[in-house]
Amino acid sequence: MIIETNIFPFLNLSELSTQYRLYTIRGLKHHSEYYQNRQNLIQRLSYKLKHPVTIVEIENKPFLVVSANAPEVPDRYPIIRGIAYFSSTNEVFELDYSLRNPQNDEICIRFLHFMVQSHLFNHSKLWQPGAGKPFFEKQPCRDFGSISLFRGFSARPTFTKDSGIGLCVDVQHKFVSKKPLPNYLNEQTFQQYKAKRCIYRFGHQWYEIQLSELSDLNVTEEMIPDGDTFTSLLDYAISHSRKPIPRDLALVAQNSAVVHYFDNRNNDRAAIAALCHLVYGTTDSAVQKYHPHTVLEPDNRRSLIQQSVENYLQRISFGDLTLEVSNNSEKLSEQFFTLPDYRFGNGHRLSVRGSHDSQQVTLECVGKKRLELLSDPKAGVYVQEPFERQYFLLPQTVGDSFGSEFIKDLKKAVDKLYPQGGGYDPQVFFYQDRGFRTYIEQGRAILETVELNQLCLGYGVVMLPDKFAFPRQHDLLAALVLRELKDHELYVATIHSSTGKECYESQYQADGQPFYTVRPEKRGKLQGYLRNVALNKVLLTNERWPFVLATSLHADITIGIDVKHNTAGYIVVNKDGSRIWTLPPVTSKQKEQLTSEQIKTCLNDILTKELERVNYPISNIVIHRDGRMYMCEIEGVKQSINSLKQKGVLPENVNLTMLEISKSEPVSLRIFSSTTKNKKTVTGSNKVVYQIQEATDNPEIGFHYVFGNDGYLSSTGKPFLNRGTSKPLHVKYIEGGMPFENCLEDIFYLTALAWTKPDDCSRYPITTKINDRRLGEDASEYDEDALRFDFSEGLETEENPDEIANNNSTNNEAIK
């Protein structure tokens, strides 16, 4: 078996001669906007100078790094809450692409990324939605009526296992309307396109924009600057497009409509409506049935990646430089973790590793067995405590129809899965859902029902109506309900009424009395749905964990931290995985990060409580940060540990280790498992012929790969993943005393707690999964002012204008 990645090494970096200049930076302070300011400076100065730019820290001071061939850097540049000032060090440095240290690595990766992006940006067969985004071929790979599916690739420099640098390449897809916006628009018809994203085909260059408004001028009346003069939008597009111009530009009518958007510097720009093609997002109903065409099996994905490298990336030209990229991807040695043992209720244990006093199971059957044991009276759910007060809120329209039947069936599903709860018997309440246009109006009706019935101190489920035409309204309503009910000390989960409407039907008894029953053809679907609601929305909301670890972690205490939309979540796991508890969500002053004082206060509380319960010495404390761990958070964690050491709560020799767990990256590392075998065939003359046949598959779960401070873990894959290509989990080692290999194994064990779907695998450890589950809903943004005051008349049915993000697109002249 051969394990390989989608990283293709650069072949001639030793021959590459690159020089750079250094500038000191004053005014770039380490406050909450530091990283945003840093990234803005890198992007905007790269755009302005049309050369690679980055920022590195040397002895804790920021320095601007600029290609030696670039124009002179301006003396100053505006940033958030201030101005950055640049002063040249009057030194020119040679960039060594083989030298590995944090500062040099930052420069190498940035310079190579700029070269790759510039090369691809100038390729006539490719288009890029925006700076740093994937590149797509201009010829769609599939057409579905009025919708085209474009296939492309993302390519980013990254490090290889032998301390070299290669290109990580992956396949990407995008759905775009075949037909452009109408030639003629008025304010009423434009409303259906407002805030939508489009591909603007500006001559031979295509890029993505977000429509902000409709102009009252047409393409010959709309005047825009062109050097020292002004020219019409149509003339500008024609004069600035390579010749011969595309057919769609040649056919633009003289009185075609003009739309506006904001570029990446927040400048108002004009675009020709007839050259704009709508982009379909993943939640758009128009493309949902076509998504299977974007799910690629490992052999197909690997082949398409190889084609992208051969067609566009083997020789990358940038000025006088030519980068050569290998046609062969990086190979890895086999390294696998084994699934941990599990502990269920009644002391029942399950093992794939042959542990004594445990029920033995194979890796192929462990998922099925986990699910079976939850309903087995000899095992069952691990946490076996009676339910506290339970509520269930239903829309009145559901209560008047299939509601009572649904509640009865859900009670049976919960009691079958969790008989130790003492019988699931929630108090049921109905709220009005007729006649409301917006999520604010609907949310207010739910809260009025809660307040009228004085509901408090309990757990529950709220069924939301499925009447909103746009998915975003459902998300906002769920966020509103979950966060507002916490003020009433109600901890709830949300479901929707669509499955119930689909599965129940109205019938009549012999005496003509109406009743609701399950449609025979939907019985299986409903049973599966009720089991998932019982497990995910009832048990997990009540923190009744289905099963826990029976194999100890390397860490003595593991703490997961996440911050979303000014709300922080914490989850704590002890060494043997038997005790897992969460802290109520905490409000943060910053949108996506915590101050040092905030994190210190919460960790002091968590560690003090946890240390009162442990009966073993504490040697290793590990922090799992979902996403970026900011410097202020690192300082807060250290302050907490040091203060507890000084108080004698923690031993002096305790190790603190901090990790970042990434959910998304510009380019996904992929890992393929390839095998070869001799295929026996018999010819027409009865001659036996053997041919070597190669098969590509996902790796088995537990495969891991470490380079420096970056680790990759295959928490999904064989034997669980039946479709598509697995995506390894990226873990970054920030600092600490516990070996990285041990950290990765702990994370793998925590991904093995696949609570939301016991018969499957989970990509994320519960230290991020549970926080994400809670914050993904209750930390989502919604318009709190509109809830409290009567602003409903000003709200649009599709989206609250305050929720429309001002996503800036790239300018058509940008170097990406």
Side-chain angles (χ1 to χ4, degrees):
M1 181 171 63
I2 300 172
I3 302 292
E4 60 182 286
T5 69
N6 57 337
I7 299 174
F8 297 80
F10 287 108
L11 298 176
N12 64 331
L13 288 183
S14 60
E15 304 169 9
L16 200 60
S17 176
T18 310
Q19 295 180 319
Y20 64 90
R21 306 193 304 267
L22 271 184
Y23 293 77
T24 60
I25 307 176
R26 292 181 299 118
L28 184 59
K29 299 178 181 178
H30 275 85
H31 50 59
S32 58
E33 285 89 11
Y34 171 76
Y35 288 101
Q36 185 177 352
N37 279 331
R38 184 179 182 275
Q39 195 61 28
N40 286 343
L41 284 173
I42 291 172
Q43 291 179 348
R44 291 174 184 176
L45 289 175
S46 294
Y47 169 81
K48 182 180 181 66
L49 302 176
K50 294 182 171 54
H51 278 78
V53 171
T54 192
I55 294 174
V56 297
E57 291 196 7
I58 303 174
E59 297 179 352
N60 295 321
K61 294 181 180 178
F63 285 82
L64 187 73
V65 181
V66 182
S67 170
N69 299 325
E72 192 58 41
V73 173
D75 294 336
R76 65 190 68 186
Y77 205 90
I79 57 177
I80 299 171
R81 292 168 58 184
I83 295 176
Y85 296 88
F86 309 111
S87 300
S88 175
T89 61
N90 296 317
E91 292 182 277
V92 177
F93 299 88
E94 193 76 28
L95 182 56
D96 183 353
Y97 287 93
S98 65
L99 177 63
R100 297 279 76 87
N101 65 52
Q103 292 81 18
N104 200 70
D105 288 349
E106 179 81 28
I107 300 170
C108 290
I109 293 298
R110 177 58 186 165
F111 276 44
L112 288 171
H113 176 65
F114 191 92
M115 295 178 197
V116 172
Q117 291 282 299
S118 298
H119 166 79
L120 295 173
F121 182 74
N122 292 318
H123 202 294
S124 60
K125 292 185 178 180
L126 300 175
W127 62 278
Q128 187 184 29
K133 302 293 185 181
F135 287 87
F136 295 91
E137 294 180 329
K138 288 183 176 176
Q139 187 67 31
C141 65
R142 296 287 298 268
D143 282 327
F144 305 101
S146 61
I147 298 172
S148 292
L149 176 61
F150 288 89
R151 180 174 290 149
F153 61 92
S154 47
R156 288 221 171 208
T158 190
F159 298 106
T160 61
K161 63 178 182 180
D162 58 358
S163 298
I165 304 177
L167 271 183
C168 185
V169 183
D170 197 16
V171 179
Q172 305 288 344
H173 294 91
K174 187 176 281 288
F175 289 100
V176 181
S177 172
K178 288 176 67 175
K179 294 182 179 180
L181 267 57
N183 252 309
Y184 311 109
L185 290 166
N186 56 40
E187 283 294 341
Q188 183 177 358
T189 55
F190 177 72
Q191 292 308 308
Q192 63 183 302
Y193 304 114
K194 188 173 183 177
K196 296 291 182 67
R197 304 196 72 84
C198 293
I199 300 302
Y200 181 33
R201 299 187 180 184
F202 182 84
H204 296 282
Q205 186 180 344
W206 303 2
Y207 54 95
E208 192 166 328
I209 65 176
Q210 184 178 26
L211 305 181
S212 59
E213 62 178 330
L214 176 69
S215 174
D216 58 357
L217 304 173
N218 62 39
V219 292
T220 56
E221 297 169 334
E222 185 87 29
M223 306 301 287
I224 59 174
D226 187 9
D228 296 330
T229 63
F230 280 80
T231 186
S232 73
L233 176 60
L234 180 58
D235 288 341
Y236 181 91
I238 293 172
S239 64
H240 285 265
S241 179
R242 293 198 312 272
K243 307 303 184 291
I245 64 173
R247 177 179 173 81
D248 55 355
L249 176 55
L251 295 178
V252 171
Q254 296 288 309
N255 56 349
S256 182
V258 174
V259 291
H260 282 257
Y261 67 96
F262 291 95
D263 67 11
N264 59 352
R265 292 187 294 177
N266 211 28
N267 295 319
D268 190 359
R269 300 289 189 185
I272 300 171
L275 301 180
C276 296
H277 296 251
L278 278 178
V279 173
Y280 294 98
T282 55
T283 59
D284 282 313
S285 58
V287 299
Q288 286 182 353
K289 60 182 177 182
Y290 305 128
H291 277 308
H293 296 278
T294 68
V295 179
L296 302 177
E297 299 305 317
D299 55 347
N300 193 12
R301 182 177 291 274
R302 179 174 173 239
S303 174
L304 290 170
I305 289 172
Q306 193 78 36
Q307 287 178 28
S308 298
V309 173
E310 292 173 359
N311 293 339
Y312 303 107
L313 296 167
Q314 282 206 277
R315 292 181 64 83
I316 298 171
S317 299
F318 181 75
D320 297 331
L321 304 175
T322 299
L323 294 171
E324 296 180 4
V325 178
S326 174
N327 193 38
N328 298 313
S329 62
E330 183 181 42
K331 306 296 187 294
L332 304 176
S333 57
E334 296 182 36
Q335 301 177 87
F336 291 90
F337 295 129
T338 304
L339 276 179
D341 292 343
Y342 296 98
R343 188 182 308 166
F344 290 78
N346 299 309
H348 192 91
R349 293 172 179 249
L350 183 69
S351 176
V352 298
R353 50 176 59 199
S355 302
H356 68 281
D357 298 332
S358 299
Q359 181 180 357
Q360 305 302 313
V361 67
T362 64
L363 181 61
E364 289 73 21
C365 297
V366 67
K368 180 180 178 182
K369 182 56 66 175
R370 284 190 310 228
L371 184 60
E372 290 176 357
L373 288 175
L374 292 179
S375 301
D376 189 332
K378 296 180 181 179
V381 173
Y382 174 74
V383 178
Q384 300 195 353
E385 298 173 359
F387 282 123
E388 297 175 45
R389 184 184 293 133
Q390 303 292 312
Y391 298 106
F392 207 109
L393 274 69
L394 288 164
Q396 188 64 57
T397 55
V398 173
D400 292 340
S401 53
F402 64 87
S404 59
E405 198 67 23
F406 178 86
I407 293 294
K408 183 176 70 175
D409 290 340
L410 180 60
K411 287 180 181 179
K412 291 179 182 177
V414 175
D415 291 342
K416 180 180 179 181
L417 189 62
Y418 192 62
Q420 300 84 3
Y424 180 61
D425 189 22
Q427 299 178 45
V428 180
F429 297 91
F430 304 101
Y431 64 85
Q432 287 299 327
D433 62 315
R434 291 184 174 93
F436 298 129
R437 295 186 308 113
T438 69
Y439 79 94
I440 291 292
E441 294 171 327
Q442 186 61 83
R444 190 180 289 121
I446 294 172
L447 293 178
E448 286 174 355
T449 298
V450 169
E451 292 164 358
L452 180 65
N453 293 279
Q454 299 181 339
L455 308 186
C456 64
L457 291 172
Y459 297 84
V461 179
V462 180
M463 179 183 283
L464 302 179
D466 284 293
K467 63 184 179 183
F468 298 119
F470 300 95
R472 181 64 175 151
Q473 289 248 335
H474 293 296
D475 298 339
L476 295 172
L477 178 58
L480 182 156
V481 169
L482 289 161
R483 287 182 61 181
E484 291 294 325
L485 292 191
K486 276 198 172 63
D487 292 341
H488 297 265
E489 296 185 271
L490 292 173
Y491 299 92
V492 303
T494 61
I495 62 175
H496 292 87
S497 60
S498 56
T499 300
K501 290 178 180 178
E502 179 185 351
C503 295
Y504 290 95
E505 65 178 351
S506 176
Q507 292 188 359
Y508 293 93
Q509 296 177 355
D511 60 358
Q513 183 69 24
F515 70 100
Y516 273 83
T517 187
V518 182
R519 300 177 192 271
E521 71 276 13
K522 297 293 183 180
R523 191 171 299 278
K525 177 175 182 176
L526 180 64
Q527 290 303 315
Y529 176 73
L530 291 171
R531 185 189 66 195
N532 286 334
V533 172
L535 178 60
N536 288 289
K537 303 299 184 176
V538 178
L539 295 191
L540 292 186
T541 301
N542 284 265
E543 297 194 357
R544 290 345 188 222
W545 313 129
F547 44 84
V548 295
L549 300 176
T551 304
S552 293
L553 300 170
H554 297 284
D556 300 306
I557 300 174
T558 304
I559 303 172
I561 304 174
D562 192 11
V563 186
K564 286 187 179 71
H565 304 305
N566 301 94
T567 308
Y570 295 83
I571 181 169
V572 187
V573 184
N574 71 339
K575 184 175 182 62
D576 65 5
S578 62
R579 185 172 60 257
I580 302 164
W581 57 281
T582 61
L583 207 64
V586 178
T587 300
S588 167
K589 296 178 182 178
Q590 304 298 329
K591 190 171 184 179
E592 299 292 338
Q593 61 181 286
L594 296 164
T595 65
S596 58
E597 190 58 38
Q598 285 174 319
I599 203 166
K600 175 186 174 182
T601 300
C602 288
L603 284 185
N604 281 350
D605 183 34
I606 288 170
L607 290 171
T608 301
K609 289 179 180 177
E610 185 63 21
L611 289 167
E612 291 174 353
R613 304 175 181 178
V614 301
N615 54 5
Y616 48 80
I618 300 300
S619 300
N620 289 296
I621 297 173
V622 177
I623 305 294
H624 291 178
R625 177 60 162 96
D626 189 336
R628 177 192 290 274
M629 191 164 196
Y630 294 88
M631 189 59 66
C632 52
E633 295 176 346
I634 294 173
E635 290 302 317
V637 172
K638 291 179 178 179
Q639 289 171 14
S640 172
I641 300 299
N642 290 335
S643 68
L644 292 177
K645 282 181 181 180
Q646 292 171 4
K647 295 175 182 177
V649 178
L650 281 173
E652 279 296 324
N653 63 345
V654 69
N655 285 320
L656 169 67
T657 303
M658 291 175 278
L659 310 170
E660 288 179 353
I661 299 178
S662 302
K663 280 203 176 68
S664 60
E665 298 180 77
V667 183
S668 299
L669 179 78
R670 302 285 184 170
I671 298 175
F672 302 103
S673 172
S674 300
T675 56
T676 57
K677 62 180 180 179
N678 287 330
K679 182 181 179 181
K680 179 181 177 180
T681 58
V682 180
T683 66
S685 57
N686 291 326
K687 182 180 179 181
V688 178
V689 178
Y690 291 91
Q691 293 178 315
I692 296 178
Q693 189 177 53
E694 184 178 16
T696 302
D697 206 342
N698 289 310
E700 189 176 283
I701 61 168
F703 176 83
H704 57 281
Y705 158 56
V706 174
F707 169 73
N709 290 336
D710 292 285
Y712 295 89
L713 172 67
S714 290
S715 49
T716 61
K718 292 193 305 186
F720 293 97
L721 195 62
N722 297 320
R723 293 191 65 232
T725 311
S726 64
K727 186 184 295 186
L729 188 65
H730 181 201
V731 181
K732 192 170 184 64
Y733 193 96
I734 304 302
E735 59 177 272
M738 198 165 91
F740 197 4
E741 190 94 359
N742 292 351
C743 295
L744 275 184
E745 187 167 33
D746 279 2
I747 289 174
F748 178 62
Y749 285 2
L750 295 173
T751 65
L753 296 176
W755 290 339
T756 56
K757 198 174 181 187
D759 56 340
D760 206 343
C761 56
S762 172
R763 184 166 184 248
Y764 304 110
I766 58 160
T767 45
T768 60
K769 185 82 172 178
I770 295 300
N771 271 336
D772 194 52
R773 167 190 163 83
R774 299 166 81 210
L775 299 183
E777 293 180 305
D778 65 24
S780 298
E781 289 182 301
Y782 63 93
D783 191 334
E784 296 185 54
D785 286 337
L787 174 68
R788 283 159 177 72
F789 305 103
D790 190 13
F791 293 161
S792 57
E793 290 300 316
L795 293 175
E796 297 190 18
T797 304
E798 178 183 349
E799 269 186 309
N800 178 359
D802 292 340
E803 296 294 335
I804 296 174
N806 184 20
N807 295 321
N808 299 326
S809 60
T810 57
N811 185 282
N812 56 295
E813 297 177 354
I815 297 293
K816 306 178 178 72

